[in-house]
């Protein structure tokens, strides 16, 4: 009987081992591709947040670095552009799909980010010190690299409390990180200092201050222009107003979700990472915490 139990346990352990080893690799089919934007700036897409890369006489600088398992593929794409190991990595915020490659690239590069990004990453005991930003700022700073000024400026209390936009001034390219999910409902991390009103205010500030012909790299979605920013502001304002009105009328959250926001939102804007239900819940929670 004991031997039978022992054999059964061994078989179960082997089955678990085989099942675990057979688990699909979520990154197995991911290809990292480059799109020319302007000047020396390219956009790299793969899985996770879009990457901006500049390759020139000073070397390589990247904005965000997606997931750690993609680091070698990201480097291969940079090599195809004539670059080498990045000298600088600029993190737009702390989420793993944008900073996952820090442990790899931080071995050779100086990582720069808003102060709150380092604070949040440092709280993760699983991250090695090499993954943390070594240069931080509060409001704004610039890196002079590959013949142009690359300006970073804080976008407060929007997507999180530590987001930055990165403007390649001569190339006239603006990387907005997750302050822009192009054509999709955004993820607003309410637990990390994000707010819907702050998100709107940040996008409106971009519309007021950015050159009208700037090329915009969103955190997620295709390369675009300020039109994508205008569309995002309009959709967020419209859907927030609808949810706020329903709540003011006493409608329960489940009933708001069941009624939906309209086919034009559910079928397109809700087809990304944040579907219609998740977006309504984000709006309802934000409204409940901060008022109408």
């Amino acid at each position: 009987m004991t031997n039978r139990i022992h054999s059964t346990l061994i078989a179960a352990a082997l089955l678990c081992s085989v099942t675990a080893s057979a688990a699909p690799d979520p990154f197995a089919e991911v290809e990292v591709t480059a799109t020319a934007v302007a000047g020396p700036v390219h956009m790299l897409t793969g899985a996770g947040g879009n990457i901006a890369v500049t390759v020139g006489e000073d070397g390589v600088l990247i904005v965000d670095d997606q997931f750690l398992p993609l680091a070698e593929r990201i480097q291969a794409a940079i090599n195809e552009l004539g670059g080498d190991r990045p000298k600088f990595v600029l993190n737009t915020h702390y989420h793993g799909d944008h900073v996952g490659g820090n442990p790899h690239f931080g071995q050779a590069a100086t990582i720069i980010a808003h102060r709150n990004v380092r604070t949040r990453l440092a709280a993760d005991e699983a991250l090695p010190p090499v993954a943390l930003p070594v240069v931080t700022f509060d409001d704004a700073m610039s890196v002079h690299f590959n013949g142009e000024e690359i300006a970073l400026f804080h976008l407060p209390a929007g997507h999180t409390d530590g987001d930055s936009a990165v403007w390649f001034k001569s190339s006239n390219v603006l990387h907005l990180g997750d302050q822009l999910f192009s054509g999709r409902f955004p993820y607003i991390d309410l637990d990390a200092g994000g707010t819907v009103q702050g998100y709107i205010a940040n996008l409106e500030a971009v519309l007021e201050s950015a050159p009208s012909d700037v090329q915009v790299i969103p955190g997620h979605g295709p390369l675009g222009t300020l039109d994508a920013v205008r569309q995002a502001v309009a959709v967020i304002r419209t859907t927030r107003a609808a949810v706020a009105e329903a709540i003011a009328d006493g409608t329960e959250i489940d009933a708001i979700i069941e009624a939906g926001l309209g086919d034009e939102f559910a079928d397109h804007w809700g087809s990304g990472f944040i579907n219609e239900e998740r977006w309504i819940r984000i709006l309802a929670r934000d409204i409940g915490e901060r008022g109408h």
Side-chain angles (χ1 to χ4, degrees), residues 45-103:
T45 56
N50 293 327
I51 297 171
V53 54
T54 172
V55 178
E57 60 182 10
D58 293 331
V60 176
L61 175 150
I62 61 176
V63 180
D64 289 343
D65 50 31
Q66 296 189 354
F67 295 101
L68 185 57
L70 298 176
E72 293 295 344
R73 275 170 269 185
I74 292 168
Q75 186 61 59
I78 293 171
N79 294 346
E80 286 291 322
L81 297 174
D84 203 340
R85 294 292 295 271
K87 292 183 178 180
F88 292 96
V89 174
L90 314 184
N91 290 157
T92 60
H93 63 291
Y94 84 101
H95 287 152
D97 61 324
H98 290 257
V99 303
N102 277 15

Side-chain angles (χ1 to χ4, degrees), residues 144-160:
H144 297 268
F145 196 77
N146 286 341
E148 69 178 319
E149 181 181 356
I150 302 169
L152 299 86
F153 50 94
H154 181 42
L155 299 171
H159 172 60
T160 69

Side-chain angles (χ1 to χ4, degrees), residues 25-267:
D25 177 1
F27 302 105
E29 304 300 321
V30 175
E31 295 183 8
V32 176
T33 59
T35 300
V37 183
V41 181
H42 287 70
M43 181 177 81
L44 302 184
T45 56
N50 293 327
I51 297 171
V53 54
T54 172
V55 178
E57 60 182 10
D58 293 331
V60 176
L61 175 150
I62 61 176
V63 180
D64 289 343
D65 50 31
Q66 296 189 354
F67 295 101
L68 185 57
L70 298 176
E72 293 295 344
R73 275 170 269 185
I74 292 168
Q75 186 61 59
I78 293 171
N79 294 346
E80 286 291 322
L81 297 174
D84 203 340
R85 294 292 295 271
K87 292 183 178 180
F88 292 96
V89 174
L90 314 184
N91 290 157
T92 60
H93 63 291
Y94 84 101
H95 287 152
D97 61 324
H98 290 257
V99 303
N102 277 15
H104 175 87
F105 292 106
Q107 296 176 39
T110 297
I111 302 176
I112 301 173
H114 186 267
R115 182 181 303 276
N116 290 343
V117 174
R118 179 180 171 90
T119 299
R120 292 189 180 280
L121 291 180
D124 185 351
E125 296 180 356
L127 281 179
V130 73
L132 303 180
V134 297
V135 177
T136 61
F137 66 97
D138 291 322
D139 298 315
M141 69 169 291
S142 290
V143 178
H144 297 268
F145 196 77
N146 286 341
E148 69 178 319
E149 181 181 356
I150 302 169
L152 299 86
F153 50 94
H154 181 42
L155 299 171
H159 172 60
T160 69
D161 62 5
D163 284 70
S164 299
V166 181
W167 181 26
F168 297 81
K169 288 192 173 183
S170 297
S171 299
N172 199 24
V173 176
L174 181 65
H175 193 312
L176 283 178
D178 279 1
Q179 266 292 150
L180 180 62
F181 286 66
S182 186
R184 300 291 184 269
F185 291 137
Y187 173 48
I188 298 179
D189 193 342
L190 303 179
D191 293 320
T195 68
V196 176
Q197 293 289 47
Y199 200 98
I200 294 171
N202 289 335
L203 291 179
E204 290 182 331
V206 168
L207 290 173
E208 291 175 3
S209 60
S212 60
D213 59 347
V214 70
Q215 294 291 299
V216 178
I217 298 176
H220 299 269
L223 177 69
T225 66
L226 289 180
D227 284 343
V229 178
R230 293 187 186 93
Q231 291 170 5
V233 170
V235 167
I236 295 169
R237 280 195 173 282
T238 298
T239 54
R240 185 186 188 282
V243 172
E245 182 179 359
I247 291 173
D249 289 342
T251 308
E252 297 292 333
I253 181 66
D254 288 341
I256 298 174
I257 291 169
E258 184 177 356
L261 298 169
D263 291 343
E264 69 273 25
F265 297 121
D267 295 344

